[in-house]
Amino acid sequence: MSNFKLKKIPLLMFLSTFPIYSFAGSGQTVFQYEHNWKSMDRIHGDTIKLIHKTDNNWQYEFKFGVTEGGGNKRDVLYDDMHGGSGGVVIQKNITLDNGWGSIIPALELGFSKDLVLYQPGLKYSYKFNSDWSSSIRYRYEWKKISQAERYKTAKVSGQQVKYKATSNSGRHRFDWALNYSGFKAFNLAYTFNYYLGDFTNNSYKFSKGTFEKNKYIAYNNKKNDYEQEFKITYNYSKLLRPYFSISDVSKNKTTDTRQAKFKVGFNYAFGQSNSKDSNFSYKTYFKYAHHYGLSSHYHGDSFGLYADFDKKGYIGLSLNTYNQIKNRILFDDLVSSHYQIYGG
């Protein structure tokens, strides 16, 4: 019996870290890098994405982002990175008959150190002619707060009382976009976003011996907010497209102050997978691994996209999460642990 146990432990360790690869299908993989900066907050941030578009109109996107300056240092660039949020987006482009455009159902899962975001949505896109196109989109964004952030304790009548201090929230998101591609070198786009939200459960703050229900505020002491963005993309080549955008966004929840948000970045497409005319011959895979700590008893998951350039190199992006409840296998109370991009 003792020999059986000794053999069982390494087997469990092997099963919990064994990666699973799945071919994502022929298509095109795009690498995106974006840097952002807000004019009043003066905090820098970066986002990295890998996007794979298949020949049958499926799209898979993996992303993560960080901010610089330790959370409170202004104008710090590429130093003291912290925070971090990651996400997965899956969508399908369905072309309608008789030139009536297309509809695009999508699902996004987002992760950070203190919440999980679930965001289903539906987009309708229509092309008026070769130059002008437009789209409308609706998304419902539900944020579930992690167990560690959900509760606090307070001393009431000499006893410690545990109470719910942070609520989950739900937000309706409406987008309208107008695009112009009549210039050979540039594409122009304008997007207007409207948000309307509220808490989906009750939570409280404790002050001076009493509990008071938390109120949802998005902008200017109201439950709604909006953003608008103007974006210009430079068509440098079929593969490389730098872009710049400026947005009008809110400054905080309690005033009507607005600020500008600047973004600069680029999309680089690796060409068509397995095409002789491509700059690389490559295949893109999904990568997934499940982890389990034999001593800590926490389950975790790692998943992402991995592009293999026919023995000439590789690039991958992975999101790593763990369940905050011990011995819970299902995706119940996930938060992010870390993200990584790797290559060689």
mmCIF file of all heavy atoms in Angstrom, residues 266-289:
data_model
loop_
_atom_site.group_PDB
_atom_site.id
_atom_site.type_symbol
_atom_site.label_atom_id
_atom_site.label_comp_id
_atom_site.label_asym_id
_atom_site.label_seq_id
_atom_site.Cartn_x
_atom_site.Cartn_y
_atom_site.Cartn_z
ATOM 1 N N PHE A 266 -0.355 49.361 -32.531
ATOM 2 C CA PHE A 266 -0.279 48.799 -33.880
ATOM 3 C C PHE A 266 -0.827 47.376 -33.869
ATOM 4 O O PHE A 266 -0.823 46.682 -32.850
ATOM 5 C CB PHE A 266 1.164 48.796 -34.398
ATOM 6 C CG PHE A 266 2.102 47.894 -33.637
ATOM 7 C CD1 PHE A 266 2.247 46.551 -33.986
ATOM 8 C CD2 PHE A 266 2.849 48.382 -32.574
ATOM 9 C CE1 PHE A 266 3.098 45.713 -33.289
ATOM 10 C CE2 PHE A 266 3.698 47.554 -31.865
ATOM 11 C CZ PHE A 266 3.833 46.225 -32.224
ATOM 12 N N ASN A 267 -1.309 46.974 -35.032
ATOM 13 C CA ASN A 267 -1.699 45.588 -35.300
ATOM 14 C C ASN A 267 -0.711 44.998 -36.299
ATOM 15 O O ASN A 267 -0.459 45.612 -37.352
ATOM 16 C CB ASN A 267 -3.118 45.505 -35.883
ATOM 17 C CG ASN A 267 -4.172 45.870 -34.876
ATOM 18 O OD1 ASN A 267 -4.166 45.367 -33.765
ATOM 19 N ND2 ASN A 267 -5.078 46.759 -35.243
ATOM 20 N N TYR A 268 -0.167 43.837 -35.977
ATOM 21 C CA TYR A 268 0.706 43.152 -36.922
ATOM 22 C C TYR A 268 0.141 41.769 -37.193
ATOM 23 O O TYR A 268 0.034 40.934 -36.292
ATOM 24 C CB TYR A 268 2.141 43.027 -36.402
ATOM 25 C CG TYR A 268 3.051 42.387 -37.421
ATOM 26 C CD1 TYR A 268 3.579 43.138 -38.472
ATOM 27 C CD2 TYR A 268 3.350 41.033 -37.356
ATOM 28 C CE1 TYR A 268 4.386 42.554 -39.429
ATOM 29 C CE2 TYR A 268 4.166 40.432 -38.302
ATOM 30 C CZ TYR A 268 4.680 41.202 -39.337
ATOM 31 O OH TYR A 268 5.475 40.614 -40.287
ATOM 32 N N ALA A 269 -0.243 41.532 -38.444
ATOM 33 C CA ALA A 269 -0.790 40.237 -38.854
ATOM 34 C C ALA A 269 0.334 39.375 -39.402
ATOM 35 O O ALA A 269 1.177 39.847 -40.175
ATOM 36 C CB ALA A 269 -1.875 40.434 -39.913
ATOM 37 N N PHE A 270 0.346 38.112 -39.005
ATOM 38 C CA PHE A 270 1.386 37.202 -39.462
ATOM 39 C C PHE A 270 1.084 36.600 -40.824
ATOM 40 O O PHE A 270 1.705 35.636 -41.239
ATOM 41 C CB PHE A 270 1.576 36.076 -38.431
ATOM 42 C CG PHE A 270 2.040 36.561 -37.101
ATOM 43 C CD1 PHE A 270 1.217 36.460 -35.999
ATOM 44 C CD2 PHE A 270 3.282 37.131 -36.946
ATOM 45 C CE1 PHE A 270 1.635 36.907 -34.758
ATOM 46 C CE2 PHE A 270 3.715 37.586 -35.708
ATOM 47 C CZ PHE A 270 2.889 37.475 -34.618
ATOM 48 N N GLY A 271 0.113 37.169 -41.536
ATOM 49 C CA GLY A 271 -0.261 36.614 -42.817
ATOM 50 C C GLY A 271 -1.220 35.455 -42.650
ATOM 51 O O GLY A 271 -1.664 35.130 -41.562
ATOM 52 N N GLN A 272 -1.555 34.817 -43.752
ATOM 53 C CA GLN A 272 -2.473 33.688 -43.717
ATOM 54 C C GLN A 272 -1.725 32.440 -43.289
ATOM 55 O O GLN A 272 -0.657 32.129 -43.836
ATOM 56 C CB GLN A 272 -3.120 33.477 -45.091
ATOM 57 C CG GLN A 272 -4.361 32.606 -45.070
ATOM 58 C CD GLN A 272 -5.556 33.327 -44.486
ATOM 59 O OE1 GLN A 272 -5.488 34.519 -44.230
ATOM 60 N NE2 GLN A 272 -6.651 32.619 -44.276
ATOM 61 N N SER A 273 -2.258 31.729 -42.313
ATOM 62 C CA SER A 273 -1.558 30.552 -41.808
ATOM 63 C C SER A 273 -1.416 29.492 -42.897
ATOM 64 O O SER A 273 -2.319 29.273 -43.705
ATOM 65 C CB SER A 273 -2.311 29.963 -40.609
ATOM 66 O OG SER A 273 -3.602 29.544 -40.985
ATOM 67 N N ASN A 274 -0.229 28.859 -42.900
ATOM 68 C CA ASN A 274 0.089 27.771 -43.847
ATOM 69 C C ASN A 274 0.033 28.198 -45.305
ATOM 70 O O ASN A 274 -0.142 27.383 -46.201
ATOM 71 C CB ASN A 274 -0.849 26.575 -43.630
ATOM 72 C CG ASN A 274 -0.760 26.031 -42.225
ATOM 73 O OD1 ASN A 274 0.325 25.921 -41.675
ATOM 74 N ND2 ASN A 274 -1.906 25.706 -41.649
ATOM 75 N N SER A 275 0.173 29.502 -45.558
ATOM 76 C CA SER A 275 0.168 29.997 -46.931
ATOM 77 C C SER A 275 1.598 30.235 -47.395
ATOM 78 O O SER A 275 2.414 30.802 -46.667
ATOM 79 C CB SER A 275 -0.636 31.297 -47.026
ATOM 80 O OG SER A 275 -0.480 31.888 -48.299
ATOM 81 N N LYS A 276 1.912 29.824 -48.589
ATOM 82 C CA LYS A 276 3.258 30.035 -49.122
ATOM 83 C C LYS A 276 3.528 31.522 -49.377
ATOM 84 O O LYS A 276 4.684 31.948 -49.440
ATOM 85 C CB LYS A 276 3.429 29.240 -50.417
ATOM 86 C CG LYS A 276 3.398 27.740 -50.220
ATOM 87 C CD LYS A 276 3.601 27.014 -51.542
ATOM 88 C CE LYS A 276 3.575 25.500 -51.343
ATOM 89 N NZ LYS A 276 3.767 24.773 -52.627
ATOM 90 N N ASP A 277 2.463 32.288 -49.541
ATOM 91 C CA ASP A 277 2.630 33.722 -49.764
ATOM 92 C C ASP A 277 2.769 34.500 -48.470
ATOM 93 O O ASP A 277 2.988 35.707 -48.477
ATOM 94 C CB ASP A 277 1.420 34.275 -50.541
ATOM 95 C CG ASP A 277 1.297 33.645 -51.919
ATOM 96 O OD1 ASP A 277 2.356 33.323 -52.495
ATOM 97 O OD2 ASP A 277 0.161 33.475 -52.396
ATOM 98 N N SER A 278 2.628 33.823 -47.344
ATOM 99 C CA SER A 278 2.716 34.488 -46.043
ATOM 100 C C SER A 278 4.166 34.776 -45.696
ATOM 101 O O SER A 278 5.096 34.177 -46.237
ATOM 102 C CB SER A 278 2.085 33.602 -44.962
ATOM 103 O OG SER A 278 2.344 34.124 -43.687
ATOM 104 N N ASN A 279 4.375 35.728 -44.788
ATOM 105 C CA ASN A 279 5.729 35.995 -44.315
ATOM 106 C C ASN A 279 6.254 34.853 -43.457
ATOM 107 O O ASN A 279 7.450 34.687 -43.311
ATOM 108 C CB ASN A 279 5.770 37.308 -43.527
ATOM 109 C CG ASN A 279 4.759 37.327 -42.399
ATOM 110 O OD1 ASN A 279 3.760 36.628 -42.446
ATOM 111 N ND2 ASN A 279 5.015 38.134 -41.388
ATOM 112 N N PHE A 280 5.364 34.069 -42.879
ATOM 113 C CA PHE A 280 5.723 32.861 -42.140
ATOM 114 C C PHE A 280 4.689 31.788 -42.455
ATOM 115 O O PHE A 280 3.535 32.085 -42.703
ATOM 116 C CB PHE A 280 5.707 33.088 -40.624
ATOM 117 C CG PHE A 280 6.824 33.946 -40.120
ATOM 118 C CD1 PHE A 280 6.572 35.251 -39.737
ATOM 119 C CD2 PHE A 280 8.111 33.464 -40.025
ATOM 120 C CE1 PHE A 280 7.591 36.057 -39.264
ATOM 121 C CE2 PHE A 280 9.143 34.255 -39.552
ATOM 122 C CZ PHE A 280 8.877 35.562 -39.179
ATOM 123 N N SER A 281 5.136 30.559 -42.447
ATOM 124 C CA SER A 281 4.202 29.443 -42.428
ATOM 125 C C SER A 281 4.030 29.039 -40.975
ATOM 126 O O SER A 281 5.001 28.752 -40.287
ATOM 127 C CB SER A 281 4.749 28.274 -43.252
ATOM 128 O OG SER A 281 3.892 27.165 -43.156
ATOM 129 N N TYR A 282 2.788 29.047 -40.481
ATOM 130 C CA TYR A 282 2.600 28.829 -39.053
ATOM 131 C C TYR A 282 1.253 28.179 -38.774
ATOM 132 O O TYR A 282 0.367 28.140 -39.620
ATOM 133 C CB TYR A 282 2.702 30.147 -38.283
ATOM 134 C CG TYR A 282 1.568 31.108 -38.536
ATOM 135 C CD1 TYR A 282 0.453 31.152 -37.695
ATOM 136 C CD2 TYR A 282 1.601 31.984 -39.608
ATOM 137 C CE1 TYR A 282 -0.595 32.027 -37.933
ATOM 138 C CE2 TYR A 282 0.567 32.868 -39.847
ATOM 139 C CZ TYR A 282 -0.525 32.892 -39.014
ATOM 140 O OH TYR A 282 -1.559 33.756 -39.256
ATOM 141 N N LYS A 283 1.130 27.675 -37.558
ATOM 142 C CA LYS A 283 -0.130 27.154 -37.048
ATOM 143 C C LYS A 283 -0.387 27.783 -35.683
ATOM 144 O O LYS A 283 0.547 28.027 -34.918
ATOM 145 C CB LYS A 283 -0.083 25.625 -36.917
ATOM 146 C CG LYS A 283 -0.077 24.889 -38.241
ATOM 147 C CD LYS A 283 -0.114 23.377 -38.032
ATOM 148 C CE LYS A 283 -0.137 22.642 -39.358
ATOM 149 N NZ LYS A 283 -0.198 21.171 -39.176
ATOM 150 N N THR A 284 -1.659 28.035 -35.390
ATOM 151 C CA THR A 284 -2.042 28.621 -34.118
ATOM 152 C C THR A 284 -2.848 27.607 -33.319
ATOM 153 O O THR A 284 -3.736 26.948 -33.855
ATOM 154 C CB THR A 284 -2.859 29.906 -34.330
ATOM 155 O OG1 THR A 284 -2.063 30.844 -35.067
ATOM 156 C CG2 THR A 284 -3.261 30.531 -33.005
ATOM 157 N N TYR A 285 -2.535 27.502 -32.027
ATOM 158 C CA TYR A 285 -3.162 26.524 -31.152
ATOM 159 C C TYR A 285 -3.753 27.215 -29.926
ATOM 160 O O TYR A 285 -3.281 28.269 -29.497
ATOM 161 C CB TYR A 285 -2.137 25.498 -30.668
ATOM 162 C CG TYR A 285 -1.468 24.699 -31.745
ATOM 163 C CD1 TYR A 285 -0.327 25.174 -32.377
ATOM 164 C CD2 TYR A 285 -1.963 23.456 -32.129
ATOM 165 C CE1 TYR A 285 0.307 24.441 -33.362
ATOM 166 C CE2 TYR A 285 -1.333 22.710 -33.114
ATOM 167 C CZ TYR A 285 -0.211 23.211 -33.732
ATOM 168 O OH TYR A 285 0.418 22.473 -34.710
ATOM 169 N N PHE A 286 -4.787 26.597 -29.377
ATOM 170 C CA PHE A 286 -5.211 26.906 -28.020
ATOM 171 C C PHE A 286 -4.373 26.062 -27.069
ATOM 172 O O PHE A 286 -4.110 24.892 -27.329
ATOM 173 C CB PHE A 286 -6.693 26.566 -27.805
ATOM 174 C CG PHE A 286 -7.628 27.358 -28.659
ATOM 175 C CD1 PHE A 286 -8.393 26.726 -29.624
ATOM 176 C CD2 PHE A 286 -7.748 28.717 -28.498
ATOM 177 C CE1 PHE A 286 -9.254 27.444 -30.413
ATOM 178 C CE2 PHE A 286 -8.608 29.449 -29.281
ATOM 179 C CZ PHE A 286 -9.366 28.814 -30.248
ATOM 180 N N LYS A 287 -3.989 26.645 -25.955
ATOM 181 C CA LYS A 287 -3.234 25.920 -24.947
ATOM 182 C C LYS A 287 -3.973 26.002 -23.618
ATOM 183 O O LYS A 287 -4.384 27.089 -23.197
ATOM 184 C CB LYS A 287 -1.833 26.513 -24.789
ATOM 185 C CG LYS A 287 -0.971 25.795 -23.761
ATOM 186 C CD LYS A 287 0.390 26.463 -23.640
ATOM 187 C CE LYS A 287 1.243 25.775 -22.577
ATOM 188 N NZ LYS A 287 2.561 26.430 -22.431
ATOM 189 N N TYR A 288 -4.156 24.861 -22.972
ATOM 190 C CA TYR A 288 -4.863 24.837 -21.692
ATOM 191 C C TYR A 288 -4.169 23.860 -20.745
ATOM 192 O O TYR A 288 -3.734 22.781 -21.160
ATOM 193 C CB TYR A 288 -6.324 24.414 -21.864
ATOM 194 C CG TYR A 288 -7.027 24.190 -20.551
ATOM 195 C CD1 TYR A 288 -7.478 25.271 -19.799
ATOM 196 C CD2 TYR A 288 -7.202 22.905 -20.041
ATOM 197 C CE1 TYR A 288 -8.096 25.081 -18.579
ATOM 198 C CE2 TYR A 288 -7.821 22.700 -18.820
ATOM 199 C CZ TYR A 288 -8.274 23.797 -18.096
ATOM 200 O OH TYR A 288 -8.876 23.600 -16.876
ATOM 201 N N ALA A 289 -4.065 24.251 -19.486
ATOM 202 C CA ALA A 289 -3.528 23.356 -18.447
ATOM 203 C C ALA A 289 -4.258 23.639 -17.148
ATOM 204 O O ALA A 289 -4.577 24.792 -16.838
ATOM 205 C CB ALA A 289 -2.028 23.562 -18.269
#
